Amino acid sequence: MSGYKREAKMSDENRKRVVVVEDDILLNKALCKAFTNDGYIAQGVSSVKEGLAAFREGAALMVVDIGLPDGEGFSLCRQVRESGGTPVIFLTARDDEMDMIRAFDCGADDYLVKPFSMAVLLKHVQAVLRRTGGSELQEFDYENLHIDFARKRVLLCGEEARLTPKEYILLELLVRNRKRVVTKQMMLEQIWDAQGSYVEDNTVNVTLSRLRKKIEPDPYNPIYIKTVFGLGYTFGE
Ligand code: CA
């Protein structure tokens, strides 16, 4: 297994993080072990909620089961794809054509039916990463704003902007969806619901207005986070 040893020596920085969302605990463990042995950093979780939270911490690829205790993998896939380029591979016992079509309709990159061979799954993962790899934004610049996604740091004119975790996640969500409108519903689902936090009606507004005060030269005339009246918010132009 010299290949394994070589891969295992890679520093964490070079290893891609794979999130496995599977409620069959034995299978989940086996998958994580196979990914780790193949040189990835693997994180196993077993629900839609945990999957979203793990995705928020950064993932190069998600492997997702359809039937999960708190919902279907489809909704997780949709939310992952709405917030960026992270590829999703479905792994499921369902071989129904309609399920496959639904999976691709909500943004899946690949679909494997159980039982499957671990070696074949690893090849599918490699192929998907090769096709989509590098599409994930690492750093972002716009006007005087600089974001380093790996370090979760935001600089304004070269000075660190001290954002709370929620403010940072909100900004990242807007930037990763720039040129699109992000609705308050999306913010609630992807930031607050994903972490199981209790939300008051006004929470999104309060967080947005604090974020604007920290990054906008004039919060009442924003250049970064713009309001699209009646719909939501958009980043930049
Ligand atoms: Ca399941």
Side-chain angles (χ1 to χ4, degrees):
M1 298 285 281
S2 60
Y4 163 49
K5 277 187 186 145
R6 195 184 64 239
E7 297 286 359
K9 271 189 205 153
M10 286 168 69
S11 69
D12 276 5
E13 238 167 84
N14 297 322
R15 294 169 71 193
K16 292 200 157 94
R17 195 159 166 272
V18 173
V19 173
V20 176
V21 190
E22 167 63 70
D23 60 328
D24 175 336
I25 300 304
L26 283 179
L27 178 59
N28 194 320
K29 279 194 176 147
L31 285 164
C32 287
K33 192 159 180 271
F35 282 122
T36 308
N37 286 352
D38 211 42
Y40 299 94
I41 295 173
Q43 183 184 359
V45 294
S46 56
S47 68
V48 172
K49 222 170 220 184
E50 290 169 353
L52 262 183
F55 162 69
R56 282 260 138 249
E57 285 162 23
L61 182 134
M62 309 275 292
V63 173
V64 178
D65 181 23
I66 293 182
L68 292 162
D70 60 343
E72 289 193 313
F74 300 126
S75 66
L76 174 59
C77 177
R78 205 172 296 116
Q79 292 183 66
V80 165
R81 298 317 310 269
E82 273 173 2
S83 37
T86 302
V88 175
I89 298 181
F90 273 105
L91 209 59
T92 172
R94 303 191 195 176
D95 58 357
D96 191 271
E97 188 185 77
M98 288 314 292
D99 279 331
M100 286 193 196
I101 290 170
R102 219 175 137 197
F104 286 112
D105 279 347
C106 64
D109 295 89
D110 206 347
Y111 191 107
L112 266 97
V113 177
K114 296 171 189 170
F116 55 90
S117 130
M118 216 57 103
V120 169
L121 168 65
L122 290 171
K123 289 292 172 197
H124 276 255
V125 167
Q126 272 176 25
V128 166
L129 284 173
R130 205 167 40 237
R131 268 205 316 270
T132 59
S135 62
E136 190 75 333
L137 201 56
Q138 295 300 321
E139 289 184 67
F140 175 78
D141 282 284
Y142 182 80
E143 299 281 340
N144 292 321
L145 187 75
H146 173 86
I147 307 177
D148 179 339
F149 292 111
R151 292 184 180 80
K152 302 196 187 300
R153 276 183 84 206
V154 177
L155 301 180
L156 259 178
C157 304
E159 298 265 329
E160 179 139 20
R162 303 209 168 273
L163 305 187
T164 64
K166 289 274 197 294
E167 289 162 358
Y168 172 80
I169 295 171
L170 186 54
L171 179 61
E172 181 174 338
L173 179 68
L174 285 158
V175 167
R176 290 202 187 272
N177 288 282
R178 66 197 175 284
K179 297 183 184 133
R180 291 163 62 174
V181 174
V182 178
T183 63
K184 274 192 193 169
Q185 191 55 35
M186 270 175 78
M187 294 174 181
L188 275 173
E189 280 171 11
Q190 299 200 23
I191 302 174
W192 282 272
D193 289 359
Q195 300 182 344
S197 317
Y198 172 72
V199 190
E200 282 178 49
D201 281 354
N202 211 20
T203 305
V204 175
N205 290 342
V206 170
T207 309
L208 263 168
S209 106
R210 285 195 185 134
L211 177 58
R212 274 178 168 159
K213 278 186 190 136
K214 288 185 183 176
I215 64 170
E216 297 284 357
D218 174 6
Y220 299 100
N221 194 10
I223 58 168
Y224 299 117
I225 302 171
K226 298 198 169 162
T227 303
V228 184
F229 286 101
L231 293 172
Y233 300 88
T234 190
F235 187 90
E237 295 133 282

